[in-house]
Amino acid sequence: MSGTTPTEQSSGSVLNRLFGWIDGSLVSLCLASLVVVVAGGLVQVSFGAFSMTIGEAWRAVFDPAVIFDPQVWQVFLLGGELPDLSRRTLIVWNIRLPRVFVAALVGANLAISGAIFQAVTRNELASPFILGVSSGAGLLILLTLVVFSGLAAYLPLLAALGGMFAFVLVYLIAWKNGTSPVRLVLAGVIVGTVFQSLQTGLFFFVDDIGVVQSAIAWTTGSLTGTDWEQVRMALPWSIIAIGLALGSSRQLNVLLLGEQTARSLGMSIEKVRFALSGVAVLAAAASIAVAGIVGFVGLVVPHLVRNVVGSDYKRLVVGCLFAGPALMVAADVGARLALNPIQLPVGVVTGLVGGPYFLYLMRKQQNIGEV
């Protein structure tokens, strides 16, 4: 005779459906990523133009006047005038920590965007950059700085619009009685190549060295000068994109089974593919709008997470949500401190990490590409 009641069995079944997909590898990955983010954040707040000891910086991070004051958080998240705070606390919370928060948001968005694009195209080398999203954003940034300088205040919004326009163009080029993963990737390469060529050509029309430096910072990816305004700009769109990605894990898993299997299960392939691509574009645009074009995060992170937790998108999306910020915060620490006092664009560091990593994969694996 069973020792459990029907109610207990029903509760256990519900819990298993809700949390049964969580395993030790995912928990370990998330905890390790959190450690990297916290350690990287503490390193970031400990160094800067204003001199303070590591102990003073860390005490400022955990200042009760900030952590337990709802008014301060309201100002951070909604804008307004901060109440009186100590000088060190103000520097840490108003200048240094926002850079860490922006890095975490950018890393999470790019990782999730890359993971979705890899499912849509069934190719683990797909990313916002392969599919032209970044090139479209970069082209509109350069056009704004070089030709329409009066619109520079709207640069983040224009970057997002440029990325969205590029992907719609890719989708239209790839359409032929529907799309296919191969046609999407090829169309993305075509659009990206054309837009990058136009970007290079625009540099020949720039006379102001300051405009050139600003354009390079945007097109290589940089977190220099970010503050709570960038956090407020990226946070709402990040929450929407992450929520939609988490809720779409079943559809992403079905896409991996192939088009014939997906259709046999009743899925409308083109509608789902376009909708999921829209989520990926939204996540990438939220990142590009505040940090410019940061390369390789959308490629490297999903692949690393897949090696740890497997290909189930319930686990993969959650893993990317933690591992993306870890990679981005660590890369920004390197960008800021490697050549101190000179600060490198964070996109340079992610490129230096991502390039050799994929060369290693190419040498190690014969069948790299298909998910």
Side-chain angles (χ1 to χ4, degrees), residues 26 29 36 130 152 156 188 277 324 353:
L26 178 61
L29 174 69
V36 172
I130 297 295
S277 298
V353 172

Side-chain angles (χ1 to χ4, degrees), residues 30-46 58 61-62 97 100-101 104 322 325-327 329-330 333:
C30 294
L31 290 176
S33 299
L34 280 175
V35 169
V36 172
V37 171
V38 172
L42 291 175
V43 170
Q44 284 279 48
V45 302
S46 301
W58 290 10
V61 170
F62 300 106
L97 270 179
V100 178
F101 296 147
F322 284 84
L327 176 61
V329 170
V333 170

Side-chain angles (χ1 to χ4, degrees), residues 21-316:
W21 52 272
I22 300 174
D23 61 9
S25 60
L26 178 61
V27 172
S28 299
L29 174 69
C30 294
L31 290 176
S33 299
L34 280 175
V35 169
V36 172
V37 171
V38 172
L42 291 175
V43 170
Q44 284 279 48
V45 302
S46 301
F47 298 92
F50 181 82
S51 178
M52 66 177 81
T53 66
I54 293 177
E56 289 171 337
W58 290 10
R59 281 194 295 273
V61 170
F62 300 106
D63 189 344
V66 173
I67 294 176
F68 300 112
D69 190 342
Q71 182 183 355
V72 173
W73 284 102
Q74 181 179 345
V75 173
F76 285 155
L77 297 176
L78 301 178
E81 186 175 346
L82 282 169
D84 290 336
L85 297 169
S86 70
R87 190 176 184 183
R88 290 184 175 85
T89 298
L90 193 62
I91 289 170
V92 167
W93 276 94
N94 212 35
I95 298 175
R96 297 182 183 177
L97 270 179
R99 179 167 177 159
V100 178
F101 296 147
V102 172
L105 288 172
V106 168
N109 279 317
L110 289 177
I112 287 175
S113 178
I116 292 175
F117 277 133
Q118 288 171 16
V120 167
T121 62
R122 296 181 61 208
N123 188 322
E124 66 181 358
L125 300 182
S127 74
F129 308 92
I130 297 295
L131 294 176
V133 175
S134 302
S135 300
L139 178 60
L140 204 54
I141 288 167
L142 280 176
L143 274 173
T144 303
L145 293 173
V146 175
V147 182
F148 307 107
S149 56
L151 298 176
Y154 303 99
L155 212 54
L157 176 61
L158 293 170
L161 291 175
M164 292 179 184
F165 169 76
F167 181 74
V168 171
L169 184 58
V170 166
Y171 214 88
L172 291 174
I173 293 173
W175 185 272
K176 186 179 180 182
N177 297 322
T179 63
S180 71
V182 173
R183 285 205 299 272
L184 281 172
V185 171
L186 290 176
V189 171
I190 292 168
V191 170
T193 300
V194 172
F195 281 7
Q196 286 169 6
S197 298
L198 291 174
Q199 287 181 41
T200 304
L202 280 174
F203 276 104
F204 288 96
F205 297 95
V206 181
D207 297 323
D208 187 345
I209 188 64
V211 171
V212 173
Q213 291 175 337
S214 179
I216 290 173
W218 269 94
T219 55
T220 55
S222 176
L223 295 174
T224 303
T226 52
D227 56 24
W228 284 103
E229 182 180 353
Q230 280 72 41
V231 175
R232 290 191 289 269
M233 186 184 303
L235 186 59
W237 305 110
S238 301
I239 292 173
I240 293 171
I242 291 168
L244 290 173
L246 289 170
S248 303
S249 58
R250 178 182 175 277
Q251 288 79 5
L252 290 164
N253 281 330
V254 172
L255 280 179
L256 292 182
L257 300 176
E259 294 187 15
Q260 290 184 349
T261 304
R263 284 195 178 94
S264 69
L265 293 173
M267 175 179 283
S268 177
I269 296 292
E270 294 306 330
K271 289 181 181 178
V272 171
R273 184 178 284 157
F274 188 81
L276 290 173
S277 298
V279 175
V281 170
L282 176 63
S287 164
I288 294 167
V290 295
I293 301 171
V294 181
F296 279 104
V297 177
L299 276 172
V300 171
V301 174
H303 193 275
L304 287 172
V305 174
R306 191 177 289 111
N307 285 342
V308 175
V309 305
S311 296
D312 183 346
Y313 262 77
K314 279 187 177 180
R315 292 194 291 268
L316 185 63

